Amino acid sequence: MHYISHDHLTLEHIRQTAINHDKLALSDEAVAAIEKCRRYLDAKMEDIDRPLYGITTGFGSLYNVTIPAEDLSRLQHNLVMSHACGTGKEVRPDIVRLMLLLKAQSLSYGHSGAQLVTVQRLIDMFNDDVLPVVYQQGSLGASGDLAPLAHLSLPLIGMGEVRYKGQVRPAAEVWKELGWETIHLQSKEGLALLNGTQFMSAHAIWSLIQAKRLSKWADLIGAMSLDAYDGRIEPFLALTHQLRPHIGQIETAERFRTVLEGSELISRPKEHVQDPYSFRCIPQVHGAVKDNLYYVESVIENEINSATDNPNIFPDEDMVISAGNFHGEPIAIPMDAMTIALSELASISERRTYRLIHGQRDLPKYLAPNPGLNSGFMIPQYTAASIVSQNKGLCWPASCDSIPSSQGQEDHVSMGANSATKLVRIIDNVEAVLAIELFNAAQALDFRRPAKSSPLIERIHADYRKTVPFLEEDDYMHPHIIRSIEFIRENQYI
């Protein structure tokens, strides 16, 4: 059971919650904070002496339009309906589940004015795997992730669609089946649900979890490639990295020394004095990626432990403050930086693949036992190269753009949602490029027999060979690449 509380929520905690399929529950502390804020707001509404944005007024540039008291609930209902304007592909179910968790977490701090029943229904949806259909396009990454969070919230009022038991169905139909009542939104609630950065944050959390996994695999696959290429261990020795003590660089070098410990190949005499940069500079490149992930993780953890809607309600201070915690810039820029870092992980991987098929260091051209009649591993490298090239386009920072909206009231936006969705595309691309390197490295390692790599690399190679065979002659390559992707997705060694 994962209790939503005011304790610091970490990336690792979320990862374990997902792996263990934990249920969510509100802590007593969260329940008390939610109810206290709602009671305060209800009392405030009975003796209001000034307009409160989004509570007694319209939204965006309609902030100066006062809404009659009898229409305030309808105002929130209309907000959720009218803002559900998403287009494009559906957001992955795993990311939607994170959105539900993060939205409940943000509302639990007692600065949003949500009803307890509303927050509990978000938790029910998470626990019963009733996932709203949310679309990738529509958010400017400011004023909150309005369109995607509207789609996340539509089922609360009995509208929209949900994915339940493998099928997309009308939310109202599933609600009836589960015996759930629709939520009658109170003042401020629609705004509390739609304002916030949970679309961006969920993508960032999912991407960080995957990126840390791929960073480990990049080291393992890079180590296999290094041994298969008959590379040198000297660039990974500790003395060099003590002179340039970046944390990620030191960790990468240490990991390679550990992974390759006991290798016959790495310890045998070498004819060549140096390796190409794609091997020799692995600690510097892989290490820079690790450093970036540490930074982004610290920013995102700060974000998911925050209340990011607007206005913010402070019962103890008797204040309702309209401000800008919904603005995505603090996480948009780090997500853009993360796309650059991860694309480099793929870029250097593709270069190692190229070296393995180049016919150097006693490896056959294209890793084919009979090159000429067989093209061997010629074209998987093309595929990796095309993916790396696509990544370069995706690395253009979305956060450097802004288009004014809402008649100029919302005149600077982060475009962080675009940063988020292309970050997910980068993750998929990096995974594919690393899988292609593994495909090549395993083939190359077999040409080094009877010499052996380290016990760990040999274990990975043996497990991989249960899925993807050594290729004696040309074969249909696509299924092997797909199985290679599945292999690194489903296995973990360090």
Side-chain angles (χ1 to χ4, degrees):
M1 181 70 72
H2 168 73
Y3 283 95
I4 292 179
S5 69
H6 298 176
D7 293 339
H8 186 76
L9 182 61
T10 66
L11 177 73
E12 180 59 23
H13 199 165
I14 293 176
R15 190 181 76 87
Q16 289 297 329
T17 297
I19 289 174
N20 299 330
H21 303 286
D22 289 342
K23 302 293 186 181
L24 301 184
L26 286 168
S27 67
D28 293 342
E29 175 187 35
V31 170
I34 292 167
E35 291 185 325
K36 178 181 179 179
C37 186
R38 187 66 232 177
R39 285 195 303 270
Y40 166 80
L41 186 57
D42 287 340
K44 191 77 171 175
M45 297 302 297
E46 295 178 5
D47 189 26
I48 198 76
D49 59 356
R50 62 184 175 88
L52 296 176
Y53 172 75
I55 300 175
T56 64
T57 74
F59 308 103
S61 65
L62 300 175
Y63 66 91
N64 56 354
V65 177
T66 300
I67 308 300
E70 62 271 18
D71 291 332
L72 295 184
S73 179
R74 183 65 183 178
L75 173 70
Q76 303 301 317
H77 186 94
N78 287 349
L79 176 73
V80 175
M81 282 197 305
S82 66
H83 284 47
C85 298
T87 60
K89 294 182 179 179
E90 288 184 30
V91 175
R92 302 171 191 223
D94 287 348
I95 297 177
V96 174
R97 293 187 88 244
L98 290 174
M99 290 175 68
L100 289 170
L101 187 160
L102 296 180
K103 175 52 75 174
Q105 180 75 36
S106 184
L107 297 179
S108 75
Y109 295 116
H111 296 290
S112 302
Q115 296 178 89
L116 180 59
V117 66
T118 303
V119 184
Q120 184 58 54
R121 183 53 46 80
L122 293 171
I123 291 171
D124 293 339
M125 292 161 69
F126 181 98
N127 289 343
D128 287 10
D129 210 29
V130 181
L131 304 179
V133 174
V134 180
Y135 300 95
Q136 291 183 5
Q137 296 174 323
S139 172
L140 301 178
S143 299
D145 288 313
L146 296 175
L149 289 178
H151 283 282
L152 188 79
S153 304
L154 272 178
L156 297 173
I157 59 174
M159 302 183 70
E161 295 79 38
V162 295
R163 185 174 295 277
Y164 181 56
K165 294 183 178 179
Q167 293 184 318
V168 174
R169 298 168 57 190
E173 181 181 297
V174 175
W175 259 228
K176 184 177 180 180
E177 184 175 310
L178 294 172
W180 292 353
E181 297 291 332
T182 57
I183 305 296
H184 185 68
L185 297 179
Q186 301 299 306
S187 59
K188 172 64 168 66
E189 278 205 285
L191 203 56
L193 290 165
L194 271 57
N195 265 191
T197 60
Q198 287 76 40
F199 177 84
M200 290 179 279
S201 297
H203 281 76
I205 287 289
W206 183 90
S207 297
L208 275 166
I209 291 171
Q210 303 308 318
K212 292 177 79 170
R213 173 180 64 86
L214 293 177
S215 176
K216 292 178 181 179
W217 265 113
D219 289 347
L220 289 171
I221 295 168
M224 185 183 292
S225 292
L226 181 69
D227 245 4
Y229 192 63
D230 197 27
R232 303 186 69 101
I233 194 63
E234 287 85 350
F236 301 87
L237 298 181
L239 284 173
T240 292
H241 306 291
Q242 291 169 6
L243 302 180
R244 195 190 194 194
H246 294 296
I247 293 173
Q249 179 176 328
I250 291 172
E251 288 182 354
T252 301
E254 182 180 8
R255 180 170 291 170
F256 268 71
R257 296 195 304 272
T258 300
V259 168
L260 289 171
E261 187 174 358
S263 168
E264 299 173 22
L265 287 165
I266 204 69
S267 61
R268 71 185 186 180
K270 311 292 181 183
E271 294 182 3
H272 44 278
V273 177
Q274 285 187 335
D275 292 327
Y277 286 4
S278 55
F279 291 97
R280 190 175 5 140
C281 298
I282 286 174
Q284 289 76 16
V285 178
H286 286 203
V289 174
K290 290 180 178 67
D291 287 338
N292 173 266
L293 296 183
Y294 295 145
Y295 163 66
V296 176
E297 182 174 352
S298 71
V299 174
I300 299 301
E301 280 197 4
N302 197 33
E303 184 74 6
I304 64 176
N305 286 279
S306 305
T308 57
D309 61 319
N310 177 63
N312 301 127
I313 301 169
F314 300 90
D316 291 341
E317 292 81 5
D318 189 22
M319 295 182 71
V320 179
I321 301 176
S322 184
N325 273 357
F326 50 66
H327 203 290
E329 204 73 74
I331 58 175
I333 293 173
M335 283 192 291
D336 280 336
M338 189 172 160
T339 64
I340 295 170
L342 291 173
S343 73
E344 283 301 287
L345 207 60
S347 178
I348 195 171
S349 170
E350 182 276 330
R351 288 293 81 195
R352 291 192 295 265
T353 294
Y354 180 82
R355 289 290 179 175
L356 291 172
I357 65 172
H358 206 57
Q360 300 173 332
R361 301 189 180 181
D362 298 323
L363 291 174
K365 289 183 178 181
Y366 303 115
L367 302 177
N370 185 17
L373 175 63
N374 292 291
S375 296
F377 283 67
M378 179 189 293
I379 305 303
Q381 182 267 327
Y382 284 38
T383 302
S386 73
I387 295 171
V388 167
S389 180
Q390 184 183 73
N391 280 353
K392 295 173 185 177
L394 292 171
C395 281
W396 178 261
S399 59
C400 72
D401 186 30
S402 178
I403 299 177
S405 59
S406 195
Q407 297 181 343
Q409 176 70 5
E410 298 166 9
D411 57 350
H412 182 276
V413 298
S414 76
M415 295 298 179
N418 290 340
S419 302
T421 52
K422 66 191 183 71
L423 176 55
V424 169
R425 292 181 64 189
I426 289 275
I427 290 287
D428 288 341
N429 284 352
V430 172
E431 187 175 53
V433 172
L434 288 174
I436 290 171
E437 183 188 352
L438 175 60
F439 188 28
N440 282 263
Q443 180 84 0
L445 193 61
D446 281 327
F447 285 107
R448 299 300 183 189
R449 302 308 184 202
K452 297 284 187 179
S453 185
S454 68
L456 177 56
I457 293 298
E458 290 294 343
R459 179 159 66 92
I460 295 170
H461 185 272
D463 290 344
Y464 180 71
R465 280 287 173 254
K466 297 172 185 175
T467 301
V468 178
F470 175 81
L471 298 187
E472 296 281 358
E473 56 187 19
D474 279 354
D475 198 3
Y476 178 26
M477 300 298 238
H478 169 77
H480 297 314
I481 293 173
I482 296 302
R483 284 193 287 270
S484 297
I485 293 172
E486 292 170 347
F487 180 82
I488 65 176
R489 189 174 295 168
E490 295 168 1
N491 291 278
Q492 184 172 321
Y493 293 89
I494 57 175

